[in-house]
Amino acid sequence: MENQVIGPGPYRATKLWNETIRLFRGGMPLRRHWAHFRCYDCSFTGTEAVDYLHNLLRDNHNFGPEVTRYQTLQLLRKFLKAHVIEDVKGRHGTEDFEDNGHLYRFPTLSPLKSFPARPVIKDCSDLPRLIRWDDYEELPQQENFVPVKSAVLTSDLWNKRHSVAIGDVHECKLIRRKEITSKQVDHIWKSMTVAHLQRVLGLKTLDGVLNPAHVNGKHIVHNVFSVNKAGIVVLENKAEDMPYWVVTAMKCLANWPNGNESKQPVYPGFERDVLRTVADYYQRLKEPLLTFHLYEVFVNILSLLPVQEAASEALQVSCLLLPPPNRRRLQLLLRLMARVCQNPQLPPLNDTIATRTLMVQMFSQCVLGSADDMDLDELLATKLVTFMMEHHNTIFQVPAKLRCQVEEHLSHLKRAQIKYAGADTDFSASPAFYKQISRVECEGQRVIGTQTPLQQLLEGLIADKELPAKDKRKRLKQFQKSYPEVYHSRFPTEESKAAVIPEKTPRLKPNLMFFSIKKPFQPFQRSWSFRA
């Protein structure tokens, strides 16, 4: 059967479940078996199913060679409960799958899962909108709308507004925006982080993968800035932190044999009891560390694992969405797992299972899991946790590109605005309330609101008697170049222009014939003068 790689997209876990069932049903060898003096065609034993499915999962790019035989057995038990398979007597759900000679078969009905209905999106606002320069804090809606003050511009104001075009730069001042609140900073980090995650995953939309309503901007800001020198999140509320005895046990294993700070008596098997203490704490958590809401996000990252750089960046962004207590527990756990696997002085923690495999199997379901027990939680968690353990020093760093984008956006919001002195409209004041109008009304107001002040400016420029004629013609020429429509509406013909604008007085060249004086010709006489 074709080994299809399921790419990122909505409900990827459901797609993997259906794909695994398709491969299993299409490739599992079926033959005739005898049991209790009866013949059963198209059947297979429990051991045959475990052998085939184990090899199938290990060779599949979506799962990998980390899958154990025990995990394969657990998956077959889920298949039996979900009626993917049944015993030869038609029983399923109540019976437990056995890795022995018990006979099973495939039912005739399709066992594939249906995709949950996607929520209807009324608009394209699935991503939080960024705060712009002219945005302010949300104001309570009022029934009475305050009329917007029209910007009536005088000739002097026109000179200040269009001083560059005229040639003179007039006095101006800087108007700063209102101080950015912490609520707005949280919103900016949230919107830009979610948008960055969508780009990293290569998705056109996060519909079915992540609901932005489940993302808390305060958590992102806390995870970025409230960290110690080692990059581990520091919690403000100590009641949310891990118990002291758990932290002590983790330090003891991570720094073995020099981590026994409490000077507990060391006995044979002491390190196994310490590990069991840590495992009991994590396995009793109410939900996995990556939370149920972010399950589909991290399942989608599994398709990026072959490209280490892309997978690491996706994990960096996704881990910023975690609640700070979860992020701290996850950081400490992955660091512990990596140190235990790399410590040659630590005695074996299990008689039959290697330390690395034991750590992944023991804590994988504490990290990733869904609310639906029928999914491939254990297999997907094994692959993801293995990658996170190997790259734990990288995945908890804040993406440099994301941090740079947020800082540039915040810097842009803090920039000042130039305003000419004496301007009638105060752009620094709080915005008035507006009401929605139709497109036709909007176009009409746009034309009227743009041309009417310019017409007034043109009339003021024409009526200005203190302005020399030379400067007036120069400014009118600049006005014609900048606003030809307004200018031609005022002067449709040359006659109308000549009636208002004084014509330029032509300069007369002197006629030498009027200044020549007829005198009789006198020969040139050189005079000599001597100085004593």
Side-chain angles (χ1 to χ4, degrees):
M1 296 295 293
E2 180 183 358
N3 186 358
Q4 180 182 359
V5 179
I6 305 298
Y11 314 116
R12 184 174 185 271
T14 304
K15 295 177 181 178
L16 284 174
W17 172 270
N18 292 341
E19 178 66 12
T20 304
I21 294 175
R22 184 183 69 84
L23 294 175
F24 180 52
R25 286 176 60 96
M28 179 65 200
L30 305 178
R31 61 188 181 88
R32 177 179 298 178
H33 291 83
W34 289 85
H36 304 291
F37 304 102
R38 288 192 60 181
C39 175
Y40 297 95
D41 293 327
C42 299
S43 60
F44 52 88
T45 65
T47 302
E48 292 173 347
V50 175
D51 292 338
Y52 176 79
L53 185 58
H54 186 211
N55 293 329
L56 175 66
L57 296 175
R58 288 172 59 88
D59 296 336
N60 191 291
H61 296 289
N62 296 304
F63 304 101
E66 298 291 337
V67 179
T68 63
R69 186 177 181 86
Y70 177 75
Q71 292 174 332
T72 306
L73 177 61
Q74 292 295 103
L75 178 59
L76 285 169
R77 288 173 177 171
K78 291 184 179 182
F79 281 176
L80 183 61
K81 292 181 179 179
H83 204 193
V84 176
I85 59 177
E86 62 184 10
D87 67 2
V88 290
K89 295 182 179 181
R91 294 174 298 186
H92 64 89
T94 57
E95 301 293 326
D96 200 3
F97 185 89
E98 299 293 341
D99 185 4
N100 52 25
H102 195 77
L103 296 180
Y104 299 91
R105 67 187 180 189
F106 291 114
T108 56
L109 298 178
S110 174
L112 300 181
K113 280 189 175 183
S114 59
F115 294 99
R118 297 189 185 184
V120 179
I121 300 179
K122 298 181 180 180
D123 50 29
C124 298
S125 58
D126 55 339
L127 293 180
R129 187 180 67 85
L130 278 178
I131 299 177
R132 300 191 299 267
W133 199 96
D134 54 349
D135 286 340
Y136 293 85
E137 295 183 12
E138 295 182 0
L139 301 175
Q141 297 292 337
Q142 299 181 2
E143 296 182 357
N144 299 326
F145 296 98
V146 179
V148 181
K149 182 180 179 182
S150 60
V152 180
L153 308 179
T154 62
S155 60
D156 293 337
L157 181 56
W158 185 88
N159 294 338
K160 297 171 183 178
R161 286 287 181 89
H162 305 273
S163 57
V164 177
I166 295 174
D168 301 324
V169 179
H170 292 268
E171 179 184 1
C172 62
K173 62 180 179 178
L174 298 178
I175 302 299
R176 296 190 177 276
R177 190 189 185 280
K178 289 184 177 181
E179 194 70 21
I180 301 177
T181 64
S182 59
K183 181 179 179 180
Q184 292 172 332
V185 173
D186 297 343
H187 179 83
I188 291 172
W189 270 101
K190 171 183 176 178
S191 57
M192 299 192 75
T193 302
V194 173
H196 191 79
L197 175 63
Q198 179 177 331
R199 289 193 297 269
V200 172
L201 294 178
L203 300 176
K204 296 181 180 180
T205 177
L206 292 177
D207 180 23
V209 177
L210 174 65
N211 185 354
H214 295 153
V215 179
N216 192 326
K218 290 184 178 180
H219 292 170
I220 300 176
V221 175
H222 187 100
N223 292 333
V224 172
F225 298 103
S226 299
V227 296
N228 56 19
K229 295 181 179 180
I232 299 177
V233 174
V234 178
L235 302 179
E236 298 177 356
N237 186 4
K238 299 302 179 182
E240 298 177 344
D241 203 352
M242 302 169 60
Y244 175 77
W245 53 271
V246 178
V247 177
T248 303
M250 297 179 72
K251 289 182 179 180
C252 179
L253 280 179
N255 302 315
W256 186 274
N258 303 319
N260 191 5
E261 298 177 353
S262 58
K263 305 301 180 182
Q264 294 289 340
V266 179
Y267 51 86
F270 174 77
E271 65 282 351
R272 298 187 181 187
D273 291 342
V274 175
L275 176 61
R276 193 175 297 108
T277 300
V278 177
D280 289 342
Y281 170 77
Y282 277 95
Q283 292 172 358
R284 292 178 182 178
L285 296 176
K286 295 182 179 180
E287 69 173 345
L289 296 176
L290 299 181
T291 72
F292 293 138
H293 294 312
L294 300 178
Y295 175 77
E296 284 289 344
V297 174
F298 287 98
V299 169
N300 274 270
I301 296 177
L302 289 172
S303 62
L304 304 177
L305 294 188
V307 185
Q308 178 179 336
E309 184 177 355
S312 298
E313 184 179 3
L315 286 171
Q316 287 175 349
V317 181
S318 302
C319 289
L320 288 177
L321 309 181
L322 295 174
N326 290 41
R327 182 181 173 94
R328 176 177 172 82
R329 293 185 180 97
L330 181 62
Q331 285 181 283
L332 295 177
L333 176 60
L334 293 177
R335 189 173 67 165
L336 168 67
M337 295 171 63
R339 290 188 177 183
V340 168
C341 295
Q342 298 170 0
N343 189 355
Q345 300 182 8
L346 188 65
L349 299 176
N350 191 280
D351 296 332
T352 58
I353 305 177
T355 300
R356 186 173 184 272
T357 305
L358 175 65
M359 298 299 291
V360 173
Q361 290 184 4
M362 185 174 291
F363 295 104
S364 59
Q365 290 185 295
C366 306
V367 176
L368 179 67
S370 68
D372 186 1
D373 293 335
M374 297 301 173
D375 282 334
L376 306 171
D377 297 348
E378 189 172 353
L379 298 177
L380 300 179
T382 298
K383 187 173 183 179
L384 181 65
V385 171
T386 301
F387 183 89
M388 297 179 72
M389 180 182 66
E390 295 173 349
H391 303 86
H392 71 282
N393 290 326
T394 305
I395 62 176
F396 291 107
Q397 298 176 2
V398 180
K401 185 176 181 180
L402 174 62
R403 183 193 288 268
C404 181
Q405 290 175 347
V406 175
E407 290 177 352
E408 287 181 357
H409 188 76
L410 291 174
S411 176
H412 170 72
L413 294 179
K414 296 177 182 178
R415 291 173 185 168
Q417 184 189 45
I418 298 178
K419 177 185 175 184
Y420 292 102
D424 296 336
T425 305
D426 186 4
F427 295 100
S428 64
S430 299
F433 292 95
Y434 299 86
K435 65 178 181 179
Q436 187 175 3
I437 61 177
S438 63
R439 183 182 296 275
V440 177
E441 294 175 334
C442 177
E443 292 295 329
Q445 292 185 10
R446 182 182 66 83
V447 176
I448 296 174
T450 303
Q451 294 189 357
T452 301
L454 294 176
Q455 292 173 353
Q456 296 176 357
L457 289 176
L458 180 59
E459 294 296 336
L461 183 60
I462 296 173
D464 192 352
K465 297 180 180 181
E466 298 180 358
L467 190 64
K470 179 180 179 180
D471 294 341
K472 180 177 294 187
R473 287 193 297 270
K474 181 179 179 181
R475 296 186 179 182
L476 287 173
K477 186 175 181 180
Q478 293 291 341
F479 188 96
Q480 181 183 7
K481 184 182 298 184
S482 301
Y483 309 102
E485 296 180 357
V486 180
Y487 186 86
H488 289 300
S489 65
R490 178 62 176 84
F491 303 113
T493 61
E494 291 293 334
E495 290 77 7
S496 60
K497 176 180 177 182
V500 177
I501 302 177
E503 295 183 357
K504 182 178 180 181
T505 304
R507 295 180 60 184
L508 298 178
K509 295 183 179 180
N511 193 345
L512 297 179
M513 64 177 296
F514 294 103
F515 296 96
S516 61
I517 302 176
K518 295 183 179 180
K519 292 184 179 181
F521 175 76
Q522 297 180 357
F524 176 76
Q525 298 180 357
R526 179 178 294 178
S527 61
W528 301 88
S529 63
F530 299 90
R531 181 175 296 179

